[in-house]
Amino acid sequence: MIIVANQPIELVRSDWSAFAWHWLQQLQNSPTVYTYQSMHHLHFEWTLRESLVDAAEALDRSGVSFASFEKSRCNPAYWNRNDQGGFELRVEVTPAEGIRDIWKNGHLYAFECATATVIVLYGGVLGSIREDDFNSLFRNLLLYDWHYDSDLRLTEKNGSDSALPGDVLYFKNPDVSPETPEWQGENTIMLREDLYYGHGIGIASGEEIIRSLNQNRIPRSTVSAYLMDTVIYPDFLYLSRYAKNSNANSQTASSTPVLPGQLYVRIGGSRYLRT
């Protein structure tokens, strides 16, 4: 069931893309209650989810390569590679220009799967909000592992069985071989039912990702890789204030309200919304 502004709603097919309509029908018919503060909030979440899926599929086609931090590379016209193998945005380049170049000149880039996942998150958001706001929110970008700007406001919850397109999920390989530590797991973006994008593996089903990870276990291991229950996604409500179709002058700088049953917490340098 979908609740908007504390009221059940009737969806109108013409208001939605085919992608959003397919999923909204499933949510509407589900016993789980999905709550949104407004129709703007609902529309934006599904615009961003579709943009995240598009960004992941396009990154898979872009020509980017998989590499460890030691062997990572980037386009020096847009990024400076630091000693840790991360990419620091050049001062004369806007965040939007730097992010777009990864898809445009993918053959110049190589990185591991955590960095790829954050890149997809930035790319999806860039496709959904006003470019000036993107540049303001995400200036001084660093692409390195799971480092990300706090304005993504990544939200973490349990429940991989109810994950939605655009969500980040992790396949863990607990018996990874010490000879291939880069395959200790695979960060993925969910594209649709049982289909994921994981950098280094590509677009594959959950079973195919597990099979690939299992090929990089210690000898004679009987412990299989598996999909963890954690689901991560950006704060759709917060980011909706910057939506392309919204009035910039009407947006406030106040924090996103925390709904009942939710709690913001900090883990290290990361800020998560736990539900």
Side-chain angles (χ1 to χ4, degrees):
M1 176 183 291
I2 297 175
I3 300 294
V4 176
N6 299 317
Q7 297 291 330
I9 62 164
E10 290 292 331
L11 299 173
V12 178
R13 173 66 184 88
S14 60
D15 293 341
W16 306 94
S17 68
F19 170 91
W21 182 254
H22 170 78
W23 285 96
L24 288 169
Q25 290 299 293
Q26 295 195 40
L27 269 57
Q28 189 76 296
N29 297 325
S30 169
T32 302
V33 177
Y34 295 86
T35 303
Y36 298 86
Q37 288 201 356
S38 65
M39 285 301 296
H40 172 69
H41 175 205
L42 175 62
H43 270 280
F44 178 79
E45 175 168 330
W46 284 93
T47 296
L48 178 47
R49 286 189 180 277
E50 186 167 7
S51 183
L52 289 165
V53 169
D54 290 345
E57 293 179 335
L59 193 64
D60 184 56
R61 301 188 300 266
S62 69
V64 297
S65 300
F66 182 90
S68 64
F69 295 116
E70 293 78 12
K71 297 181 179 180
S72 68
R73 65 177 190 272
C74 56
N75 185 350
Y78 290 82
W79 303 89
N80 295 315
R81 183 184 181 278
N82 63 28
D83 292 340
Q84 289 73 46
F87 310 150
E88 299 173 357
L89 190 68
R90 294 178 63 92
V91 294
E92 70 273 19
V93 176
T94 69
E97 291 170 339
I99 291 297
R100 285 200 186 101
D101 186 67
I102 300 171
W103 278 265
K104 182 179 179 181
N105 292 301
H107 63 285
L108 298 178
Y109 292 84
F111 37 76
E112 45 62 69
C113 68
T115 302
T117 301
V118 176
I119 288 170
V120 169
L121 290 169
Y122 284 130
V125 171
L126 176 57
S128 306
I129 71 173
R130 297 181 293 269
E131 185 164 331
D132 286 349
D133 287 322
F134 184 90
N135 289 332
S136 177
L137 289 169
F138 303 118
R139 55 186 177 271
N140 302 318
L141 274 185
L142 166 66
L143 302 179
Y144 174 67
D145 198 18
W146 262 106
H147 290 259
Y148 62 88
D149 191 285
S150 60
D151 278 300
L152 281 177
R153 294 198 180 193
L154 295 187
T155 303
E156 177 187 329
K157 71 173 185 178
N158 293 327
S160 59
D161 57 339
S162 60
L164 297 170
D167 285 343
V168 177
L169 298 105
Y170 186 69
F171 289 81
K172 184 176 178 62
N173 188 11
D175 270 1
V176 64
S177 168
E179 297 181 0
T180 55
E182 64 272 21
W183 294 112
Q184 63 187 295
E186 182 76 351
N187 291 283
T188 67
I189 302 289
M190 181 178 173
L191 305 178
R192 53 189 67 91
E193 297 100 333
D194 193 32
L195 196 67
Y196 309 87
Y197 166 68
H199 183 56
I201 292 178
I203 294 175
S205 68
E207 181 180 348
E208 290 169 332
I209 292 173
I210 289 171
R211 187 184 308 128
S212 180
L213 291 173
N214 282 344
Q215 293 173 359
N216 294 279
R217 290 180 294 176
I218 58 177
R220 295 178 294 280
S221 170
T222 59
V223 180
S224 175
Y226 63 94
L227 174 62
M228 294 186 66
D229 196 43
T230 303
V231 178
I232 295 174
Y233 48 89
D235 188 336
F236 299 104
L237 179 58
Y238 169 71
L239 291 170
S240 68
R241 70 183 65 186
Y242 306 109
K244 288 181 177 180
N245 61 350
S246 65
N247 182 358
N249 294 327
S250 68
Q251 307 305 316
T252 67
S254 60
S255 299
T256 301
V258 179
L259 302 177
Q262 298 179 330
L263 175 66
Y264 273 118
V265 297
R266 284 190 179 272
I267 302 175
S270 303
R271 187 169 185 260
Y272 291 100
L273 175 61
R274 289 199 180 276
T275 58

